[in-house]
Amino acid sequence: MPEKDTINGPIKTVVVLVMENRSFDHMLGWLKRINPEVDGLTGTESNPLSTTNPNSPQILVSDSATYVDPFDPGHSFQAIRKQIFGSDNTSADPPPMNGFAQEAEEESKGLSTAVMRAFKPELLPVYTTLAMEFAVFDRWFASIPTSTQPNRSYVHSATSHGLMSNVLSDLFKGFPQKTIFDSLDDSQLSFGIYYQILPSTLFYDTLRQLKYINKFRDYYLLFKKDANEGKLPNYTVIEPVYYDSSILPANDDHPVHNVSNGQMLVKEVYETLRKSPQWNETLLIITYDEHGGFYDHVPTPVRNVPNPDGLNGPAPYDFQFDRLGVRVPTIMVSPWINKGMGLSLSLSLSLSLSLSLSLSLSLQCREQ
Ligand SMILES: *[C@@H]1O[C@H](CO)[C@@H](O)[C@H](O)[C@H]1NC(C)=O
Ligand SMILES: *[C@@H]1O[C@H](CO)[C@@H](O)[C@H](O)[C@H]1NC(C)=O
Ligand SMILES: *[C@@H]1O[C@H](CO)[C@@H](O)[C@H](O)[C@H]1NC(C)=O
Ligand SMILES: *[C@@H]1O[C@H](CO)[C@@H](O)[C@H](O)[C@H]1NC(C)=O
Ligand SMILES: *[C@@H]1O[C@H](CO)[C@@H](O)[C@H](O)[C@H]1NC(C)=O
Ligand SMILES: *[C@H]1O[C@H](CO)[C@@H](O)[C@H](O)[C@H]1NC(C)=O
């Protein structure tokens, strides 16, 4: 019989918000202009239109990203392989990260400049402020080089159970693996999933149990209320709006959705937590499921990544889940994170039995 767990550290409530489909450089690369310690963009990074032609035109990174992108760049397993290796040959280590422009242009004429565009910090005021006041991670990679649901699965269950793409029928059938929510429940720690439309966490068999029905909480009715009353669970997941409609605009940042709505969601979550009596024991983690096809200059780790459960992906790739995905934005916010220290450290965080994130973290704060 598992024991009731105790939390000895100051943080009793971890709030996780996973946004959609943007790379680190695309969202935060130009933070380097404000803090040179951030491993972001200098303006000299480029990708050739053809990786095989030494005289190919080069597409430079720019700071002209806008809230609403006209395109949704490629982020299938095959597309990502081309983006990071420049071809289907996966032997380079580190990978050259030179195939983003070429792959995008193959998908749609003119898309190559779109994937090389990144946001000016002024256009993302919420992230810019949080990154400067708290901690921004510049070595956080998507768990797998593929699409949304498999990547989200790693967040909730440390594996995708062999899933390599968004196969709707598999998702609706339900996945059998143990999740972080089950581990928390075993340890008698509380959890809650604040959803805005559809909770994607229902893709797991175990979460469909009747005993968990009260764990699914309406974001609009209950998030502020629970926070104000000091009743947020120990592990709190916030699910953004994944589908756009005129009544309820999507706020998950996925192209073609308006990134301004994502900024408003993050601001609302942050301000709600700040006002909560639980603030002093809270850690907010804002991260992304995957890079969405946008350029990033930091080589993706391609060796010695452990397969979580021995399952491989389907033919023809038989992917062994032994490479990570592209770097994504991650910001952590807590009163326990000091501003103005400019320190760099590596740590391994073990959030529970099922979820263990191994990450290398750079805390980047402006020197005052
Ligand atoms: C879990 O969260 C509740 C509410 O904040 C808190 O009272 C409790 O101490 C937390 N559990 C542990 C083991 O810290
Ligand atoms: C794949 O790339 C490596 C170097 O990264 C090279 O040595 C090898 O010849 C390439 N293989 C093929 C089939 O092109
Ligand atoms: C993120 O991108 C993947 C790949 O295109 C797509 O399947 C998925 O639907 C996207 N996520 C959302 C929420 O649209
Ligand atoms: C994105 O949302 C912002 C804020 O609501 C709005 O001002 C802007 O016009 C929107 N952009 C587009 C292209 O719809
Ligand atoms: C936060 O918690 C720490 C340690 O328990 C305590 O020293 C500090 O006074 C608290 N701060 C606030 C604002 O409650
Ligand atoms: C992670 O997300 C990206 C972008 O959608 C996608 O291409 C990739 O296939 C996902 N990973 C897996 C293992 O499906």
Side-chain angles (χ1 to χ4, degrees):
M1 200 48 201
E3 299 282 308
K4 185 174 167 66
D5 240 337
T6 52
I7 302 175
N8 296 320
I11 297 196
K12 314 260 187 252
T13 302
V14 176
V15 180
V16 177
L17 172 58
V18 184
M19 307 288 278
E20 285 281 328
N21 293 23
R22 305 272 174 175
S23 72
F24 181 95
D25 276 341
H26 176 67
M27 297 301 273
L28 304 177
W30 291 113
L31 274 182
K32 194 175 180 67
R33 287 176 176 164
I34 305 177
N35 180 351
E37 273 187 84
V38 173
D39 190 353
L41 296 169
T42 60
T44 57
E45 297 81 3
S46 69
N47 260 196
L49 268 183
S50 162
T51 56
T52 49
N53 173 4
N55 302 316
S56 163
Q58 297 280 329
I59 311 289
L60 266 184
V61 294
S62 78
D63 64 1
S64 57
T66 53
Y67 288 146
V68 178
D69 262 303
F71 304 105
D72 183 14
H75 41 222
S76 65
F77 180 76
Q78 303 90 297
I80 296 173
R81 192 174 51 180
K82 284 189 194 156
Q83 289 161 3
I84 68 179
F85 292 104
S87 73
D88 294 339
N89 179 348
T90 59
S91 52
D93 180 16
M97 309 303 280
N98 66 350
F100 289 84
Q102 172 180 275
E103 195 280 327
E105 201 65 26
E106 280 168 14
E107 295 218 1
S108 175
K109 202 165 158 38
L111 190 52
S112 54
T113 50
V115 298
M116 301 300 287
R117 283 203 282 257
F119 281 97
K120 287 193 178 78
E122 309 85 274
L123 274 186
L124 304 178
V126 179
Y127 280 171
T128 300
T129 306
L130 293 179
M132 289 301 129
E133 297 289 322
F134 299 100
V136 56
F137 291 63
D138 58 13
R139 277 295 181 281
W140 187 299
F141 299 87
S143 300
I144 32 175
T146 180
S147 22
T148 296
Q149 292 309 338
N151 292 336
R152 280 186 180 260
S153 268
Y154 268 78
V155 177
H156 300 309
S157 66
T159 174
S160 71
H161 199 74
L163 186 72
M164 272 182 57
S165 54
N166 297 335
V167 183
L168 268 188
S169 55
D170 287 354
L171 292 168
F172 285 114
K173 222 185 303 161
F175 277 87
Q177 67 263 34
K178 186 170 184 177
T179 65
I180 186 172
F181 306 107
D182 303 301
S183 301
L184 289 160
D185 194 56
D186 284 350
S187 307
Q188 300 181 43
L189 293 173
S190 55
F191 72 86
I193 294 156
Y194 293 79
Y195 64 92
Q196 302 184 55
I197 36 167
L198 176 83
S200 68
T201 29
L202 274 177
F203 290 140
Y204 307 98
D205 286 342
T206 62
L207 284 177
R208 297 174 181 176
Q209 298 173 77
L210 202 55
K211 69 169 178 175
Y212 288 157
I213 196 155
N214 291 328
K215 307 291 189 188
F216 290 95
R217 304 182 70 75
D218 185 314
Y219 175 85
Y220 303 100
L221 295 177
L222 298 173
F223 178 62
K224 279 188 187 161
K225 179 169 183 288
D226 290 354
N228 290 342
E229 292 172 1
K231 289 183 182 160
L232 286 178
N234 302 110
Y235 189 66
T236 297
V237 172
I238 296 169
E239 298 219 48
V241 180
Y242 304 107
Y243 303 98
D244 219 9
S245 73
S246 52
I247 311 163
L248 197 56
N251 55 16
D252 63 352
D253 282 359
H254 191 281
V256 299
H257 304 153
N258 190 331
V259 168
S260 174
N261 298 329
Q263 290 290 286
M264 288 193 283
L265 172 64
V266 173
K267 182 169 190 282
E268 177 174 84
V269 168
Y270 169 68
E271 286 176 352
T272 302
L273 295 175
R274 283 281 330 209
K275 279 194 286 202
S276 164
Q278 286 166 279
W279 171 241
N280 199 24
E281 47 188 50
T282 295
L283 169 68
L284 168 63
I285 305 177
I286 305 153
T287 186
Y288 280 72
D289 65 332
E290 40 108 353
H291 75 300
F294 291 101
Y295 173 72
D296 196 273
H297 80 281
V298 171
T300 297
V302 294
R303 296 288 176 264
N304 303 321
V305 174
N307 177 305
D309 50 14
L311 296 172
N312 290 350
Y317 307 110
D318 303 310
F319 181 55
Q320 294 176 16
F321 294 90
D322 53 1
R323 289 195 269 120
L324 295 183
V326 174
R327 192 170 64 139
V328 291
T330 297
I331 296 173
M332 288 200 189
V333 176
S334 169
W336 294 91
I337 296 173
N338 289 335
K339 175 193 166 102
M341 296 186 63
L343 72 157
S344 262
L345 64 148
S346 281
L347 86 168
S348 274
L349 262 184
S350 193
L351 287 182
S352 86
L353 302 175
S354 84
L355 175 71
S356 61
L357 299 166
S358 201
L359 46 102
S360 160
L361 141 87
S362 292
L363 281 179
Q364 307 280 6
C365 301
R366 182 171 39 194
E367 310 267 3
Q368 292 288 315

